[in-house]
Amino acid sequence: YGVEVRFTRAVDYGFSKNIGEAFRAWKQEELLADMVTIAREVRPEIIVSRFNDSERDGHGHHQAAGRLAKLLFRAAATGDWKPAKLY
């Protein structure tokens, strides 16, 4: 599909029970900065997240991923580009 895998500094350390626990191990601001850098390089038209920042997402890693996707959608925009949609 022409996909390139990119990584942030988040380390998969095992199971986290909730988003608070996940963000005690992962620094939200650092991860968002990593994601914004990548998004501005790649400039995707659409951002897709499997998770939506709720307890229904399951464990804390998934909840954090959903929250970060929402934050990324707003933060990634530059003067001449922004993603069109977040799913």
Side-chain angles (χ1 to χ4, degrees):
Y1 298 111
V3 174
E4 291 182 34
V5 177
R6 307 282 179 103
F7 295 94
T8 66
R9 57 190 111 182
V11 175
D12 188 356
Y13 59 85
F15 186 81
S16 60
K17 295 180 184 97
N18 57 55
I19 195 169
E21 185 179 320
F23 281 135
R24 280 191 293 279
W26 297 340
K27 303 302 177 222
Q28 180 175 310
E29 300 80 20
E30 290 177 357
L31 295 183
L32 182 59
D34 292 347
M35 294 168 69
V36 166
T37 297
I38 293 166
R40 287 179 178 171
E41 288 174 8
V42 176
R43 291 184 170 216
E45 293 179 37
I46 297 169
I47 295 174
V48 179
S49 176
R50 160 69 179 82
F51 307 107
N52 65 12
D53 185 16
S54 77
E55 290 182 5
R56 292 178 37 204
D57 292 337
H59 64 79
H61 290 70
H62 295 170
Q63 294 171 30
R67 177 167 301 167
L68 286 164
K70 289 178 180 179
L71 294 171
L72 171 65
F73 181 73
R74 292 190 292 270
T78 65
D80 62 342
W81 168 83
K82 70 178 184 175
K85 208 73 165 141
L86 169 66
Y87 291 106

